[in-house]
Amino acid sequence: MSVITVNSPKDCATKQGVLRIEKNKYKKLLFIISSCFSLILLLILLVWFILRPSKPQFSLKELDIYQLNLSGPYLNSTIQLTLLSKNPNQKVGVYYDEFQVYATYKSQQITMDSYIPPFYQSQQESNLLSASLVGNGLPVSPSLAYELARDRLDSRLLVVNVKVNGKLRWKVGTWVSGRSRFNVNCVSFVGFGPPSSGPLTSNQGAQCSTDV
């Protein structure tokens, strides 16, 4: 024989009341959590907009070309350069997570990518960064050989662009932002010297443009 249990209307009302109370508790808890999260996010945004970090500043201090020779459609190059990197911010530090350097001539890449190890730059700090750029057997267009021969024959200035691509993070107090890409372009003017007179050198320095 089975036993059938029938709940009274009073019991059902009691259970519904308990469920409503528990539901309201969850709503209040969710509201408190979302409010705290929104407040933290708002504080971060306020700090960000108040401080408003300025873009890093770069300048090319020196560039030496030891080799820039063509063998058919292939180019061999060796370039040594020194960059000055400055953080102009008074209250914001910069983490450089990726730092990739290469050189171009007539809009064509003439060296392989060179990577500078990650580093941190504190407020208003400056750092000298050295890089060796090498290109062995890089394929180039026939027009580059013509342009290089013409510039050398006419003793024109050799215009070399130093490019930097990378990723950085801003540091405000203990808070660190997500990664942002940055790009740097430096223009260097190098004069052709007499044969066997050593490397082609540009030590006049040049300001660089930076996009973040």
Side-chain angles (χ1 to χ4, degrees), residues 99-167:
F99 205 104
Q100 169 188 336
V101 189
Y102 62 95
T104 66
Y105 169 69
K106 302 296 183 181
S107 300
Q108 296 190 57
Q109 188 166 341
I110 57 174
T111 68
M112 299 294 290
D113 300 335
S114 179
Y115 294 89
I116 292 176
F119 65 97
Y120 173 73
Q121 196 170 53
S122 62
Q123 298 87 339
Q124 295 189 309
E125 183 181 4
S126 297
N127 299 97
L128 284 174
L129 309 173
S130 297
S132 296
L133 309 181
V134 178
N136 291 322
L138 287 177
V140 294
S141 67
S143 64
L144 187 137
Y146 169 77
E147 295 285 353
L148 183 61
R150 188 181 66 174
D151 286 349
R152 181 177 281 121
L153 182 64
D154 295 343
S155 298
R156 297 181 180 180
L157 289 175
L158 188 69
V159 183
V160 176
N161 288 73
V162 175
K163 305 276 190 174
V164 179
N165 297 326
K167 294 180 181 180

Side-chain angles (χ1 to χ4, degrees), residues 3-42:
V3 179
I4 299 176
T5 304
V6 178
N7 294 326
S8 66
K10 185 178 180 181
D11 293 334
C12 292
T14 302
K15 289 183 178 179
Q16 289 178 359
V18 172
L19 290 175
R20 279 197 297 270
I21 292 172
E22 290 180 353
K23 190 175 181 180
N24 289 334
K25 286 182 178 179
Y26 284 122
K27 284 184 177 179
K28 288 181 180 179
L29 182 62
L30 183 62
F31 176 76
I32 291 172
I33 293 173
S34 61
S35 298
C36 291
F37 179 77
S38 299
L39 182 60
I40 293 172
L41 183 60
L42 181 61

Side-chain angles (χ1 to χ4, degrees), residues 49-118:
F49 282 110
I50 290 172
L51 295 176
R52 196 78 179 189
S54 300
K55 296 184 294 186
Q57 298 172 354
F58 292 89
S59 58
L60 185 63
K61 306 305 291 182
E62 187 174 358
L63 184 141
D64 298 319
I65 301 177
Y66 290 89
Q67 181 183 202
L68 191 62
N69 299 320
L70 280 160
S71 177
Y74 300 102
L75 177 72
N76 297 315
S77 61
T78 304
I79 298 175
Q80 181 74 32
L81 61 88
T82 301
L83 276 172
L84 176 65
S85 170
K86 181 181 179 181
N87 175 14
N89 297 285
Q90 295 182 355
K91 298 181 180 180
V92 181
V94 184
Y95 284 105
Y96 290 98
D97 296 327
E98 294 182 15
F99 205 104
Q100 169 188 336
V101 189
Y102 62 95
T104 66
Y105 169 69
K106 302 296 183 181
S107 300
Q108 296 190 57
Q109 188 166 341
I110 57 174
T111 68
M112 299 294 290
D113 300 335
S114 179
Y115 294 89
I116 292 176

